[in-house]
Amino acid sequence: MSFDRSIKIAPSILAADFANFGAECAAVEAQGADWIHVDVMDGHFVPNITFGPATCAAIRPHIKGVMDVHLMIAPVDPYIDAFAQAGADVITAHVEAGPHIHRTLQAIRGAGAKAGVALNPGTPAEAVDYLLDMVDLICVMTVNPGFGGQKFIHSQVEKVRTLRQMIGDRPIHIEIDGGVDPTTAPLVAAAGADVLVAGSAVFKGGSVSDPSPYGDNIRAIRAAAAS
Ligand code: DX5
Ligand code: ZN
């Protein structure tokens, strides 16, 4: 996984057909997705439940590129090895998920994955001040985590700008998660984000048997981000 700051579109399979994850991953990749974003929820850290490491391992062979696993679970540490063994390239944990995010990030890198840290909308950018030299990605939540299809929270654009300055020359991705579509993508891209997660805005209108809308949707977000 090489580092660059070009815009990467990362469809979230939270908006895919849950009975068809493998084919959905292959379809969005064939339609131009750069990364596949996998939302793991535990019904405890967030109010919704999705799936765990066994599902990640099952879909891994259907993904050619980066599998980006977003853990919305607490505790995190007991499950890191299982997600790494499932083939996650990036494992992101929330700074709010427990008292020991520093240890969690060490453990993620120790397991051989890239380490990501996610910030809820109410958490300030400064929460990552002392983590900058141990992360590969900072995920700015632009909705409250738990559900797809929510409205983008505009106050977070300023946080992205702050983080971009804090990062300086370090090889750290800024990922945006929640409410990304062609109207919000340009705001976060201009503020310094490079990985744009999008669930509903990518999967709307298409299916495994009719995947071309996925390509139209991905191109629309990418073009808007470049504008
Ligand atoms: C929210 C998830 C997001 C979500 C994004 O908890 O982390 O990845 O699926 O969905 P949209 O793009 O529909 O806001
Ligand atoms: Zn996510």
Side-chain angles (χ1 to χ4, degrees):
M1 223 187 119
S2 61
F3 180 85
D4 69 65
R5 290 194 198 285
S6 64
I7 293 289
K8 289 159 282 291
I9 309 294
S12 164
I13 60 166
L14 189 61
D17 174 1
F18 270 45
N20 245 332
F21 278 144
E24 289 276 46
C25 291
V28 280
E29 275 195 338
Q31 293 293 325
D34 300 293
W35 292 12
I36 301 292
H37 185 82
V38 181
D39 284 311
V40 176
M41 304 185 186
D42 67 351
H44 169 72
F45 179 67
V46 290
N48 194 8
I49 301 177
T50 55
F51 44 76
T55 304
C56 293
I59 65 176
R60 173 74 264 189
H62 302 271
I63 299 173
K64 291 198 189 115
V66 170
M67 181 160 91
D68 173 34
V69 176
H70 178 194
L71 298 181
M72 286 161 276
I73 65 174
V76 179
D77 296 9
Y79 304 103
I80 289 171
D81 284 345
F83 285 104
Q85 277 160 23
D89 297 289
V90 183
I91 299 177
T92 296
H94 271 258
V95 76
E96 307 86 1
H100 297 297
I101 185 67
H102 190 282
R103 174 185 292 148
T104 300
L105 294 168
Q106 281 178 326
I108 292 171
R109 280 191 171 171
K114 299 283 185 192
V117 63
L119 301 177
N120 279 338
T123 303
E126 289 68 32
V128 301
D129 256 349
Y130 294 94
L131 305 174
L132 290 174
D133 291 317
M134 55 191 310
V135 294
D136 304 290
L137 176 147
I138 301 172
C139 173
V140 177
M141 292 305 302
T142 40
V143 298
N144 285 299
F147 302 96
Q150 303 181 81
K151 205 170 158 331
F152 182 89
I153 301 172
H154 281 265
S155 61
Q156 302 305 301
V157 176
E158 185 58 38
K159 189 193 289 183
V160 176
R161 212 170 282 125
T162 303
L163 285 166
R164 184 65 195 88
Q165 282 201 337
M166 288 166 62
I167 286 170
D169 292 333
R170 295 175 180 89
I172 301 175
H173 298 290
I174 298 184
E175 176 176 76
I176 306 300
D177 193 359
V180 171
D181 64 19
T183 66
T184 54
L187 309 175
V188 288
D194 63 304
V195 183
L196 307 184
V197 174
S200 4
V202 165
F203 284 95
K204 70 165 190 221
S207 67
V208 164
S209 52
D210 176 23
S212 66
Y214 298 166
D216 297 338
N217 295 337
I218 289 169
R219 282 187 292 277
I221 297 168
R222 202 188 296 283
S227 67

